[in-house]
């Protein structure tokens, strides 16, 4: 009988407010922020999480978030190169685009939200069609990671014109270049060497005539877009040079010379925000030229007044000079004058990204909201006052701050209360560390207390108090009911590495880097006579000290209360009798220090884990090593036995959590979910879940499921996964691209390429299509043979010939073979369809063409049929032209498909005409209604209707 285990799976993840892997967006009320592989939606005013956009089984980090102009669709780029379109109303994925080989770093929607441009670390730009859910083409030309993309909308096109207004695209990259692409001809129109170093960010002002770029040396440059030159296209001037579409203007001075990491224009107000320092954001006010002229005339007036007071002898000369000066000044207003530094917002931590709030959520006085996502797992919103006449220097005020549901730094230690209801987590770092209490059912943060640099922690008997060991050698005791620090015991002179409570709940043992193990007894309720001091409910009394030869890294009592294990910096573990502290046995064998250990519930086994990446299992009777296992790729940080069993858990710096069988020395399950090294592990007292805490600031819960797990199947699944990944990688190799001739210095020579990327999904979809084709072909062949037999035989015999039995799948679905193939093809997501069709060998393509002809003839799914047909003809053009096999299929197919498309076109034309008629009718009715109500002339009514379409917001003052 094969032994079965129970599978564990991830159920909850909390402790994250926002991760620093991506930018964040804000609309004035809700913040959409990255949290490793998910996107969280926070209500900034209430400090509540409203939604978590999570796709089951998807592990890659979010690297870019972009909101569409409509506002409900968000494009989210991931570290594996995929882009997902999320609908904020339903919290579900609309479409998944796979095309990039590395992380997506920039995204942009065009003005109609019909196209999406994505740029990546693999230096490619891909244009996606959102409506058809397909990749249009890939643009190559940059030599390094793309850092920003913007669509250009020429301002002079009227909104009613049918031409696609946004067929120009700007991109900047770390290769110091800025490129202007013409999307109608898919080529690069102009390349500008924008900076001397990497270009990190770019934005275009709302009037679409200025570009701002920021480099890594702290330089903010401005460029003018010449829309006339763009409209005329590439032309040579008289001097023989090609006309420039983007021209450099000047450099704006910034307060600091750090890397300019983000530039952002406010969508409606005249403000520009620039981040070039870690912790501060500079806000510039954009003035109009009229404002500047007024200001200059005021200045001149003042200067004249001054001169009039102190009139000198040579007045005329002065006046003449004055007039000359006036002309010179009024003639030229430089760009730097238009952008005036307004104020600097200083955040409370390192800024990761920022965004302007578009809706005015505050409501009381008019102001502009600036939302900041910090790299330290916190969010802030600042109010920027609008300019006023008073002489006060404007200052930003922090209105909302969201930092309680998560730690600022790494989660270093976790402990669970004895009933598994509460989880305590403590963090370390240059900030004051914090101790947080979480409700395990709702994962809500109940208490937050300041503590020092926390290293280890444990609940004290009764679950009313927590002891935290710190880097400075103190043991801090917190009372949970009042969430206060009750006592600070100066326990050791160096870091307290480990705390453990004796099974009889009477003694706490602490091990420290000062080479001492100290034993503390609990003393309850020593209330002082006078009520001046607070009543101490629990104190630690030092009982005895065990001096060791080296730093103590971990201490552990055996559950039967007989032994005490102490791990030392010299890579050994010494075991003592706990009552007399006599030496019992030494466990020797690790090459590097043992970081953690645990003893099983029956006190038979001790398991130790070390920085040498190994886990050793020892017997406690004689101190013999049962087995040494190479457990993790990096240091193993912590180990814990599951209660009442010999199964144990390990966590390591390789981001993995692993589950082991201590009797058979087998790895039962590997669980990956964290994105950084795991520091802390806490196992449930009832054995039904474990909690891990990591450098990525998230705390994750892994629960026991009811699903059985067999080791053979698990190993097979792991091997299959490795094989699948290897297969897709080999298919996606750039040097294996079919039909691309010539490699210029290793770069692909074409500027435009098709968007393809094979994933396991596309391969499986291709295989499903092939299976369906095989099944349908054999079915049709059997029926054709039956028809021939009937035709050959006489009338009497024909009645006796039995038809062949139908294929069970087709019989169950009650479908004809061609309908079955269509059903399979339809089920392939449209984003993966092209890649799935590339999997088919040419023989299968011929057979699919026959079915396409049948579908066209019957008028089934004309759009899908034509899309597949044209894609196959384009891909296999050479082979189709070379042999004559296809003529029999293609000629009738052309007739059938044209008929079907003509029918579709007629239907669409008829519907369009009807809709336009309805629209005209509604407008006429609205006009008539206005006449009846208001009774004024038609011109005004038309204006009012037009205004209604624009939906102006009007502030009505009481």
């Amino acid at each position: 009988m094969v032994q079965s285990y129970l599978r564990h799976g991830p159920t909850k993840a909390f402790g994250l407010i926002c991760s620093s892997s991506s930018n964040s967006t804000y609309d004035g009320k809700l913040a959409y922020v990255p949290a490793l592989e998910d996107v969280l939606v926070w209500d900034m005013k209430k400090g509540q999480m409203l939604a978590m956009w999570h796709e089951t089984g998807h592990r890659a980090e979010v690297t870019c978030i972009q909101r569409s102009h409509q506002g409900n669709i968000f494009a989210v780029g991931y570290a594996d190169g995929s882009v997902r379109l999320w609908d904020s109303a339903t919290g579900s994925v609309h479409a998944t685009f796979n095309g990039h080989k590395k992380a997506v770093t920039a995204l942009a929607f065009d003005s109609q939200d019909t196209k999406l441009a994505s740029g990546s670390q693999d230096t490619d730009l891909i244009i996606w069609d959102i409506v058809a859910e397909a990749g249009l083409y890939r643009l190559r030309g940059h030599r390094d990671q793309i850092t920003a993309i913007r669509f250009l909308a020429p301002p002079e096109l009227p909104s009613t014109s049918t031409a696609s207004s946004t067929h120009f695209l700007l991109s900047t990259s770390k290769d110091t270049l800025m490129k202007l692409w013409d999307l109608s001809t898919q080529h690069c129109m102009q390349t500008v060497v924008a900076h001397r170093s990497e270009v990190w960010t770019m934005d275009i002002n709302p009037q679409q005539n200025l570009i701002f770029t920021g480099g890594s040396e702290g330089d903010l440059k401005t460029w003018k877009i010449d829309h006339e030159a763009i409209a005329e296209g590439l032309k040579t001037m008289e001097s023989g040079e090609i006309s420039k579409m983007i021209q450099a203007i000047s450099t704006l001075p910034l307060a600091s010379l750090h890397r300019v990491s983000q530039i952002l224009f406010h969508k409606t107000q005249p403000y520009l925000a620039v981040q070039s320092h870690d912790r501060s954001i500079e806000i510039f006010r954009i003035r109009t030229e009229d404002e500047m002229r007024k200001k200059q005339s005021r200045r001149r007036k003042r200067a004249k007044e001054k001169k009039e007071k102190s009139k000198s002898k040579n007045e005329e000369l002065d006046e003449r000079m004055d007039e000359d000066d006036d002309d010179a000044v009024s003639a030229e207003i430089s760009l730097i004058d238009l952008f005036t530094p307004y104020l600097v917002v200083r955040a409370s931590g390192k800024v990761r990204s920022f965004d302007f709030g578009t809706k005015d959520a505050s409501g009381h006085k008019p102001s502009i909201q600036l939302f900041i996502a910090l790299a330290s797992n916190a969010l802030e919103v600042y109010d920027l006052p609008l300019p006023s006449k008073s002489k006060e220097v404007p200052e930003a005020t922090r209105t909302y701050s969201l930092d309680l549901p998560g730690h600022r730094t790494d989660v270093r230690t976790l402990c669970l209360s004895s009933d598994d209801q509460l989880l305590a987590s403590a963090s370390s770092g240059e900030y004051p560390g914090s101790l947080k209490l979480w409700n395990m059912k709702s994962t809500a943060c109940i208490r937050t207390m300041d503590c020092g640099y926390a290293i280890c922690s444990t609940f004290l008997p009764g679950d009313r108090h927590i002891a935290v060991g710190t880097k400075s050698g103190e043991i801090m005791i917190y009372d949970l009911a009042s969430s206060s620090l009750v006592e600070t015991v100066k326990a050791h002179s160096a870091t307290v590495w480990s705390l453990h409570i004796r099974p009889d709940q009477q003694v706490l043992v602490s091990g420290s880097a000062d080479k001492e193990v100290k034993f503390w007894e609990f003393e309850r309720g020593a209330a002082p006579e006078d009520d001046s001091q607070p009543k101490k409910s629990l104190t630690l009394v030092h009982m005895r000290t065990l001096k060791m030869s080296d730093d103590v890294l971990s201490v552990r009592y055996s559950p039967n209360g007989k032994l005490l294990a102490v791990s030392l910096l010299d890579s050994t573990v010494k075991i003592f009798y706990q009552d007399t502290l006599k030496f019992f046995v030494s466990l020797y064998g690790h090459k590097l220090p043992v970081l953690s250990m645990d003893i099983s519930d029956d006190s038979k086994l001790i398991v130790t884990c070390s920085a040498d990446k190994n886990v050793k299992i020892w017997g406690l009777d004689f101190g013999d090593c049962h087995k040494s296992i190479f457990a993790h790729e990096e240091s193993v940080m912590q180990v814990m036995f599951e209660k009442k069993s010999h199964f144990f858990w390990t966590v390591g710096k390789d981001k993995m959590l692993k589950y082991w069988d201590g009797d058979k020395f087998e790895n039962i399950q590997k669980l990956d979910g964290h994105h950084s090294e795991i520091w802390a592990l806490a196992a449930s007292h009832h054995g039904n879940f474990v909690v891990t805490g990591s450098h990525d600031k998230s705390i994750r819960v892994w629960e026991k499921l009811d699903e059985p797990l067999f080791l053979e199947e698990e190993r097979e699944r792991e091997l299959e996964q490795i094989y699948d990944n290897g297969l897709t990688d080999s298919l996606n190799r750039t040097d294996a691209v079919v039909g691309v001739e010539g490699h210029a210095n290793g770069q692909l020579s074409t500027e435009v390429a098709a968007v393809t990327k094979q994933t396991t999904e596309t391969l499986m979809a291709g295989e499903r299509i092939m299976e369906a084709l095989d099944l349908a072909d054999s079915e049709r062949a059997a029926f054709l043979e039956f028809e021939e037999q009937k035709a050959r035989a006489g009338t009497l015999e024909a009645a006796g010939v039995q038809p062949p039995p139908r294929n069970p799948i087709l019989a169950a679905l009650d479908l004809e073979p061609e309908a079955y193939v269509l059903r399979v093809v339809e089920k392939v997501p449209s984003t993966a369809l092209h890649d799935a069709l590339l999997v088919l060998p040419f023989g299968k393509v011929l057979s699919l063409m026959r079915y396409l002809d049948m579908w066209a003839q019957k008028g089934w799914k004309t759009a899908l049929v034509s899309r597949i047909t044209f894609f196959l003809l384009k891909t296999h053009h050479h082979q189709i032209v070379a042999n004559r096999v296809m003529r029999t299929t293609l000629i009738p197919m052309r007739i059938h498909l044209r008929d079907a498309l003509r029918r579709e076109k007629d239907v669409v034309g008829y519907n369009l005409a009807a809709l336009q008629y309805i629209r005209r009718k509604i407008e006429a009715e609205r006009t008539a209604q206005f006449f009846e109500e208001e009774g004024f002339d038609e011109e005004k009514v038309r204006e009012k209707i037009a205004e209604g379409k624009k939906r102006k917001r009007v502030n009505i003052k009481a």
Side-chain angles (χ1 to χ4, degrees):
M1 176 73 188
V2 182
Q3 186 183 358
S4 74
Y5 301 88
L6 282 177
R7 186 183 292 287
H8 286 75
T11 50
K12 296 168 190 161
F14 53 94
L16 260 181
I17 298 167
C18 71
S19 59
S20 58
S21 56
S22 150
N23 64 316
S24 310
T25 61
Y26 180 63
D27 64 2
K29 183 169 183 280
L30 306 180
Y32 301 87
V33 300
L36 302 176
E37 69 270 22
D38 308 327
V39 176
L40 304 182
V41 183
W42 291 98
D43 183 329
M44 285 305 294
K45 199 170 179 182
K46 296 178 183 161
Q48 285 177 351
M49 189 203 297
L50 298 182
M52 178 193 243
W53 300 348
H54 174 79
E55 187 164 354
T56 322
H58 187 241
R59 301 244 50 85
E61 274 188 289
V62 174
T63 52
C64 188
I65 300 176
Q66 180 67 39
R67 189 188 182 124
S68 65
H69 299 285
Q70 295 166 356
N72 62 332
I73 299 292
F74 286 79
V76 180
Y78 293 86
D80 60 356
S82 62
V83 178
R84 284 172 172 68
L85 291 180
W86 287 89
D87 185 347
S88 60
T90 58
S92 58
V93 180
H94 256 285
T96 304
F97 297 133
N98 275 309
H100 291 292
K101 294 181 188 64
K102 291 185 183 167
V104 177
T105 52
L107 291 165
F109 284 95
D110 73 346
S111 54
Q112 269 99 37
D113 287 343
T114 53
K115 287 199 186 76
L116 173 72
S118 64
S120 156
Q121 279 179 2
D122 61 11
T123 75
D124 289 355
L125 278 166
I126 298 184
I127 311 295
W128 305 93
D129 185 338
I130 295 176
V131 183
E133 294 186 7
L136 297 174
Y137 42 85
R138 185 190 296 268
L139 296 171
R140 296 197 173 102
H142 282 294
R143 295 284 160 83
D144 205 339
Q145 169 184 329
I146 311 279
T147 51
I149 313 172
R150 292 286 182 277
F151 278 95
L152 260 189
E156 59 271 4
L157 278 177
S159 57
T160 51
S161 75
T162 50
S164 163
S165 58
T166 45
H167 53 245
F168 294 101
L169 185 74
L170 266 175
S171 63
T172 58
S173 158
K174 278 193 188 177
D175 59 8
T176 75
L177 303 179
M178 168 162 60
K179 283 178 178 280
L180 176 67
W181 305 84
D182 182 349
L183 300 185
S184 50
T185 55
Q186 298 159 25
H187 76 285
C188 176
M189 293 172 73
Q190 188 184 349
T191 300
V192 185
V193 181
H195 289 261
R196 294 222 310 274
S197 55
E198 301 168 339
V199 186
W200 276 95
T201 174
M202 178 245 316
D203 201 12
I204 301 176
N205 67 345
Q207 290 77 38
Q208 299 267 333
N209 57 5
L210 291 175
I211 306 169
F212 278 62
T213 57
S216 60
E217 290 176 356
D219 38 354
L220 177 63
K221 291 194 180 175
T222 54
W223 312 80
K224 185 165 153 277
I225 306 171
D226 191 346
H227 282 293
E228 286 152 18
I230 292 180
E232 286 170 4
L234 293 172
K235 272 193 176 175
T236 45
M237 287 143 54
E238 286 110 30
S239 60
E241 287 181 7
I242 293 172
S243 60
K244 296 267 197 299
M245 332 236 163
I246 298 171
Q247 292 143 0
I249 306 178
S250 69
T251 305
L252 267 184
L254 289 176
S256 68
L257 291 177
H258 300 275
R259 171 181 113 194
V260 180
S261 46
Q262 197 181 349
I263 299 173
L264 186 67
F265 280 94
H266 195 292
K267 288 204 177 71
T268 51
Q269 306 278 355
Y271 290 96
L272 162 73
V274 179
Q275 183 207 340
S276 72
H277 186 261
D278 277 350
R279 286 167 173 259
S280 61
I281 295 165
E282 290 176 61
I283 310 288
F284 290 87
R285 189 162 155 235
I286 309 168
R287 299 173 183 272
T288 58
E289 292 198 3
D290 302 343
E291 275 180 52
M292 285 314 297
R293 290 225 166 83
K294 277 181 195 160
K295 197 171 178 184
Q296 282 178 346
S297 64
R298 275 207 303 275
R299 269 189 198 155
R300 284 201 300 275
K301 228 182 190 172
R302 271 189 218 132
K304 264 187 188 166
E305 279 167 12
K306 269 187 193 166
K307 276 185 183 151
E308 272 169 18
K309 279 178 190 165
S310 57
K311 269 199 173 174
S312 56
K313 291 157 192 166
N314 42 8
E315 294 169 18
E316 295 163 14
L317 205 141
D318 260 16
E319 274 177 19
R320 264 184 236 134
M321 281 174 66
D322 259 13
E323 280 164 16
D324 294 349
D325 283 357
D326 286 0
D327 297 342
V329 172
S330 60
E332 176 216 20
I333 291 177
S334 74
L335 186 89
I336 296 174
D337 299 334
L338 297 180
F339 289 84
T340 51
Y342 180 53
L343 60 91
V344 175
V345 180
R346 289 188 172 78
S348 61
K350 213 170 173 185
V351 178
R352 170 58 181 86
S353 75
F354 62 88
D355 196 5
F356 281 117
T358 43
K359 298 175 191 153
D360 184 29
S362 51
H364 41 276
K365 58 174 187 268
S367 63
I368 287 166
Q369 287 192 317
L370 183 72
F371 163 82
I372 302 179
L374 301 178
S376 62
N377 194 24
L379 305 173
E380 298 181 331
V381 176
Y382 287 85
D383 254 357
L384 314 180
L386 293 183
S388 61
K389 294 271 191 268
S390 67
K391 287 277 183 280
E392 293 169 16
V393 179
E395 265 193 22
T397 50
R398 186 165 77 183
T399 45
Y400 308 126
S401 167
L402 184 64
D403 57 0
L404 282 182
H407 287 285
R408 297 290 75 72
T409 48
D410 307 12
V411 178
R412 278 306 291 263
T413 166
L414 295 169
C415 57
L416 282 158
S417 63
S418 57
D419 56 359
D420 287 345
Q421 297 292 319
L422 294 177
L423 171 76
S425 65
S427 67
S428 57
E430 65 277 2
Y431 294 89
S434 57
L435 170 70
K436 288 184 184 287
L437 266 192
W438 308 85
N439 177 341
M440 281 305 291
K441 260 206 177 84
S442 65
T443 69
C445 179
I446 322 169
R447 296 265 191 279
T448 299
M449 295 159 262
D450 281 349
C451 66
Y453 194 122
I455 298 288
C456 54
S457 61
T458 174
F459 272 91
L460 297 183
D463 288 342
R464 297 278 179 87
H465 300 81
I466 287 180
V468 176
T470 65
K471 195 176 180 177
S472 52
E474 292 157 344
I475 297 177
M476 300 172 130
I477 295 181
Y478 291 88
D479 177 29
L480 300 187
S482 63
S483 66
S484 58
L485 175 63
V486 186
E487 189 182 14
T488 302
V489 183
K490 189 82 190 81
H492 294 272
S493 58
T495 310
V496 180
W497 281 114
S498 179
L499 295 171
H500 195 217
I501 290 176
R502 203 165 74 186
D504 62 3
Q505 311 265 324
Q506 297 303 312
V507 176
L508 172 75
V509 61
S510 64
S512 158
D514 62 3
K515 309 184 183 178
E516 289 184 340
V517 178
K518 290 193 179 177
F519 299 85
W520 311 81
E521 276 195 0
F522 304 118
E523 211 166 85
R524 319 248 163 180
E529 286 76 40
D530 57 335
D531 293 340
S532 58
Q533 295 164 300
K535 180 181 152 204
K536 283 189 181 176
S537 46
L538 192 102
T539 53
L540 292 186
V541 182
H542 181 213
M543 295 305 293
R544 49 185 179 167
T545 304
L546 175 63
K547 289 230 188 317
M548 303 303 292
S549 59
D550 220 326
D551 293 18
V552 178
L553 293 181
S554 177
V555 284
R556 266 282 179 270
Y557 278 111
S558 65
N560 61 11
K562 287 195 175 140
L563 302 172
L564 171 73
V566 181
S567 119
L568 301 178
L569 198 62
D570 63 6
S571 313
T572 62
V573 175
K574 304 264 191 284
I575 297 179
F576 299 88
Y577 291 106
Q578 75 89 12
D579 44 5
T580 59
L581 295 187
K582 258 196 190 141
F583 177 70
F584 169 50
V585 75
S586 174
L587 310 180
Y588 172 79
H590 280 291
K591 294 183 183 64
L592 289 169
V594 172
L595 300 176
S596 168
M597 53 191 176
D598 200 16
I599 301 174
S600 65
D601 261 8
D602 55 7
S603 302
K604 290 274 188 353
L605 296 181
I606 178 169
V607 59
T608 58
C609 71
S610 155
D612 62 12
K613 309 174 192 174
N614 287 310
V615 166
K616 289 188 194 291
I617 301 163
W618 319 73
L620 258 187
D621 297 339
F622 313 105
D624 53 326
C625 180
H626 289 186
K627 184 77 175 164
S628 178
I629 306 171
F630 179 70
H632 288 260
E633 305 289 323
E634 299 277 338
S635 301
V636 190
M637 295 312 292
Q638 225 177 327
V639 58
M640 270 197 155
F641 269 107
E642 196 176 83
K643 288 281 176 281
K644 301 190 177 54
S645 77
H646 282 182
F647 302 153
F648 62 92
W649 293 93
T650 58
V651 293
K653 280 191 178 175
D654 60 355
K655 314 173 194 175
M656 298 292 275
L657 164 70
K658 296 190 180 183
Y659 189 37
W660 306 85
D661 183 339
D663 294 328
K664 295 211 167 100
F665 320 124
E666 290 271 13
N667 176 214
I668 303 171
Q669 211 182 343
K670 291 180 188 150
L671 295 161
D672 62 332
H674 281 290
H675 293 264
S676 268
E677 53 265 33
I678 305 177
W679 292 117
L681 167 74
S684 133
H685 293 282
H686 302 110
N688 49 4
F689 66 88
V690 290
V691 191
T692 53
S694 156
H695 175 67
D696 62 21
K697 303 185 184 72
S698 69
I699 300 171
R700 290 171 193 257
V701 183
W702 314 81
E703 284 187 22
K704 212 179 222 130
L705 311 171
D706 295 337
E707 193 184 327
L709 176 148
F710 300 98
L711 292 181
E712 272 78 31
E713 285 179 17
E714 195 68 9
R715 295 298 91 83
E716 265 174 35
R717 231 185 58 216
E718 282 167 22
L719 284 172
E720 265 174 27
Q721 195 151 5
I722 293 169
Y723 171 71
D724 283 348
N725 292 348
L727 187 63
T728 51
D729 288 349
S730 64
L731 285 170
N732 289 325
R733 281 210 326 271
T734 41
D735 49 353
V737 177
V738 187
V740 176
E741 296 93 8
H743 288 241
N745 64 38
Q747 285 272 346
L748 294 172
S749 52
T750 50
E751 196 171 52
V752 177
V755 182
T756 61
K757 183 185 178 189
Q758 294 294 354
T759 59
T760 21
E761 288 82 37
T762 58
L763 291 176
M764 281 159 67
E767 282 167 10
R768 282 201 298 276
I769 295 176
M770 283 194 263
E771 283 166 12
L773 287 171
D774 286 340
L775 189 148
D777 284 347
S778 57
E779 181 81 353
R780 286 184 61 218
F783 269 91
L784 275 173
E785 197 181 316
F786 167 63
E787 294 296 331
E788 280 170 14
Q789 270 184 351
K790 260 170 86 169
R792 275 204 304 272
T795 44
L796 283 170
E797 291 161 14
V801 177
Q802 285 293 322
R806 286 184 70 184
N807 183 299
I809 296 177
L810 296 179
L813 295 170
D814 194 21
L815 289 174
E816 291 300 307
E818 59 269 30
Y820 175 68
V821 178
L822 180 61
R823 182 186 166 130
V824 170
V825 173
E826 254 185 328
K827 277 191 179 161
V828 178
S830 60
T831 45
L833 183 61
H834 285 180
D835 290 326
L837 292 172
L838 286 176
V839 177
L840 305 183
F842 191 62
K844 289 282 177 283
V845 172
L846 297 183
S847 124
L848 182 58
M849 281 290 193
R850 287 198 282 281
Y851 290 104
L852 287 168
D853 180 30
M854 289 181 205
W855 301 336
Q857 197 174 349
K858 295 181 176 175
W860 289 348
K861 302 279 175 195
T862 315
L864 181 70
V865 170
S866 40
R867 186 179 156 191
I868 295 174
T869 310
F870 301 139
F871 178 74
L872 289 176
L873 289 176
K874 203 162 63 181
T875 313
H876 300 285
H877 180 255
H878 297 303
Q879 269 169 300
I880 292 170
V881 175
N883 63 22
R884 302 175 62 96
V885 184
M886 301 285 291
R887 285 186 64 117
T888 48
T889 323
L890 284 175
I891 293 168
M893 184 170 183
R894 185 176 64 184
I895 300 162
H896 295 147
L897 198 55
R898 275 189 183 167
D899 285 348
L901 285 169
R902 200 174 290 124
R903 283 199 299 276
E904 290 275 312
K905 191 178 161 188
D906 290 346
V907 171
V908 172
Y910 179 81
N911 288 345
L912 261 178
L915 286 169
Q916 275 162 353
Y917 166 71
I918 292 169
R919 182 167 129 201
R920 284 197 300 273
K921 193 172 160 190
I922 289 170
E923 280 191 3
E925 277 173 9
R926 275 179 76 182
T927 320
Q929 197 178 341
F930 266 109
F931 271 133
E932 286 159 14
E933 284 179 11
E934 307 283 350
F936 48 55
D937 63 336
E938 195 168 343
E939 291 303 315
K940 281 186 188 168
V941 175
R942 288 205 185 285
E943 275 173 29
K944 199 153 184 187
I945 289 173
E947 247 178 44
K949 277 182 206 158
K950 284 180 200 156
R951 284 174 60 199
K952 277 188 182 164
R953 295 248 163 82
V954 184
N955 289 333
I956 299 169
K957 287 186 177 127

